[in-house]
Amino acid sequence: MNTVDDNEKVTDVHEQTFPQTEAAEKSFSDEANHETPLNYQDDTIAATTDGSSLTPSKEGVEEKPKKLCGYLYKLGMKGPLKAWKYRFFSYDDMKCNLLYYRIATDVCALGSIDLHAATFHFDVEAEEGIFEIKTPTKPYILKAINKHARMYWLQQLQRKRWEYCNNPSKIQTECIMSSDVHDREGSLHFGDGDFLSPVTTPTDVVGKMVALMPAPQESTSLQNISLKHPWKEIQNTVRNMCGSKPTQAISRSVFHFEESEQVSAEVTTKQFGKMSPSLNFARKARKQNGGFSSNLENISSDKLDNPQLQIQALTEELKSQKDLVKLLHRTLESAQEEKRVCAEYLSAPEEKDRLELIRHKVRQIEDLRQRVEVLQQEKQDLEQCVSLKDFHIEELKEHVQLLMEKNSAKQLVIMKQNEQLLSQMDLDNTTSSGMDTLHGQYRKIDSLMDDINAYKTQNRFLNSEIHQVTQLWRNTAEKETALLMKCSYIEARNCQLESKYLILLRKLQEVLPYLDADYCEVIKRLIEDALQSDIKTPLQPSNVHFSPISEYDDYGFMIIPEYELEHLKLLAKIQALEIRSNKLLTHDVVDKPLRIKWNSLEELSYSTDLKNLVRCGIPTEHRKRVWKWLTCQRINFSANHYKDLLKKCESAQHPATQQIELDIHRTLTNNKHFNSPTSEFIQKLRRVLFAYSWQNPTIGYCQGLNRLAALALLVLEDEESAFYCLADIVENIMPTEYYSNNLSGSQVDQRVFKDLLSEKLPRLTAHFEQYKIDLSLITFNWFLVVFVDSLVSDILLKVWDAFLYEGTKVIFRYALAIFKYNEEEILKLTDATDIYQYLSFFTKTICDGRKLMNIAFNEMNPFPMKLVRKSRAEHMEKFKAELVELEYIKREYVKSKKELRSTGNDMGVSEDEEDT
């Protein structure tokens, strides 16, 4: 009973202190979560390099990571005399640098080698131990004491570079833990593949023990002193001299390693009968307290040595405290359970209740016994499975043994035959010179075998280096691609925000007459600032695939055309920003896959796939080739046809020459290739138009041909190809009489378009009829020059791509799509003047070429060409009838005029006939 009473007392004490203990554990947990990164960050100075990792030992204590450091020879690369300097090298995990010092106790590094972009190499034929580290700035030639140490350094430097490049932005804790995972998973995870097996650590020349040993005599000699860094040499010398005084505290360098005692505690579970949990807890607490006292002594003795040691000791103490708290919790739970059972047993009023409690415990014991039996059965099954596996392994071992014995027998046979051969050669060659030659050959073979093994090792290392560098390059390329996509998205968002700001200014500009003078002044100033802000030049030069907004596009068109009216200037800038944003957002999602498909096309042939690709737009690098191919499919001229026409132009002047000269300087004024009278493109355009005036005398020249030829010149660059393209458009693609004197084909297409508009967009047609809007005033020029000077160049060229492939129905599709694109805005206008004013510039508001293309080729379906041809034929008949009627009216008018003059009824009187 005394034991029970004592246990109850102890348990009561625990119950009273339990909330404090729980709070303490929480505080410990918070402190641990807060300080663990710091601890790992400091511990990474001694990061694992030889394949060992931070793995918990049996006592639950983590092993310290080992540091990559040691002495190497470094070849001085500057000056007339190149000499080997003996240096202490140490790897810095934080920066992926290989620091080098004169001796291990130095604090200031003489220099560093940046490894994250370096490559490693060694030559078999070079001196033993020499290897090279090539960085982007300069190469470094180092030498280890032997081949084994060299291979170890190279392999570990590869490993460090791989870890850093794959975790450049993470804290060093993750680097340590990742190295642990890498070591367990094998060398493939480090990017070196299965080329080179891990090299064992040469502990006599690499590691912390080398740093703790006295400095070698070579490193302290005068010739090893660095003349390039005298100030650092003086600093290191003074520190070493001060640190060697016995009266002062021992000054340790960054390479001094202090091993603190490891705190280990085994928690053993006693049987429940002899000793209560309270007494178990007392013994365990005394053990833990004993451990803490020894830790505190170690901490107090090393407190002034190094801040890193302080942090390490405090972290170990914190871990021990957490273990103690967990132990207290487990002890407390078991004591509370014991108290609860005893309390229920003692508080039972009758013997029957106590008996029931005992029966309940008996039932629980029976259940546990049954579970034990089930687990024992499972254990027996597993043991049988293990025995079968062992039997299989034994069979495999026997098989391997048989193979080995067979191999040994073969080797014995080979050796006997070799001996027989040697004995036969001895009999044949009685002279000693023959034996010497044979032994010389054997020595030569041995030497060649050594060379072969050395070259194999070099080959494996170089293969691992190539493999790892390739993987690093791929990882870097993926990261770069992700960053470029992110930059594209950010720039697109910026363009959208700026565009919305300019739209707001444009809305405010429309209501300026209704605002106060102060507000008007502020808005005008904001508009001036927005127009004067230079978005054409980036703040910093960019070498990425998404070039910033420049003044001109790939074909020389101005990104932001220069208009005289302010509202058009704002509109042009808004359009440029919106197009820029759409390009950036669709570059990787749409444009890049399309470019890949175009690159895979070797031979061009008419097909549905090619038509769909052309509708999406031909990339700039493929457009010239495709346009030439499309033109050649329909044009068949002799080889010197264009040259003959040019000779004809030189010998005779065409009547249309004067009109060509008038129009040629008004062609594509927003393109840099045509804004100068002396431009090469102006001369080419003149020759193309002169040649075509002789090519087709029925047309000669018509206003609009200059813009068709100019756009063909910009894309095809060659004037002969541009001439054939112009001839193809006028004579093959467009209907007959499209560019005749009366432009009958163009006028007929306006009537056809009006019918299609009423069919596809009935609401808009009714709106135009309500306000008596004549659309031909707007759309006539679209059809005549195929949207040149109406759409922005990026969308215009995509329209021309489809136009050259499919023909004139593309003009109808895009004309309808333009009205559909702006249908809602037009329907909001309720005045004829406002509608005409909006229609005069509304094509400048179209920024999304993908949306316009989708409307033209999807929402406008079905669009059969048979219907267009039929409608053209009907309207052409009506148009010709109208021309006949008009001709008849003209003849009647002329006839009546002649009759009136023949009767002498001339009402006009000359001055000579007047009476004076």
Side-chain angles (χ1 to χ4, degrees), residues 24-40 171 173 311 314-323 326:
E25 184 187 14
K26 185 177 181 181
S27 65
F28 279 136
S29 177
D30 294 340
E31 291 177 6
N33 292 334
H34 178 70
E35 293 192 10
T36 298
L38 294 176
N39 179 30
Y40 281 142
I171 59 174
T173 303
I311 294 172
L314 290 173
T315 306
E316 291 177 358
E317 181 188 1
L318 178 61
K319 185 177 178 182
S320 302
Q321 294 284 355
K322 288 177 66 177
D323 292 339
K326 291 178 181 178

Side-chain angles (χ1 to χ4, degrees), residues 439-458:
H439 288 302
Q441 291 294 330
Y442 274 113
R443 285 194 296 270
K444 189 175 181 181
I445 290 172
D446 292 338
S447 177
L448 289 174
M449 289 299 295
D450 292 339
D451 291 343
I452 289 172
N453 291 331
Y455 278 110
K456 282 183 179 179
T457 304
Q458 182 191 31

Side-chain angles (χ1 to χ4, degrees), residues 30 94 164 189 254 297 325-326 412 450 613 691 775 798 813 832:
D30 294 340
M94 299 295 293
Y164 180 83
H189 202 69
V254 292
E297 289 175 2
V325 170
K326 291 178 181 178
L412 289 173
D450 292 339
L613 282 176
L775 283 183
K798 292 179 180 178
R813 281 183 176 274

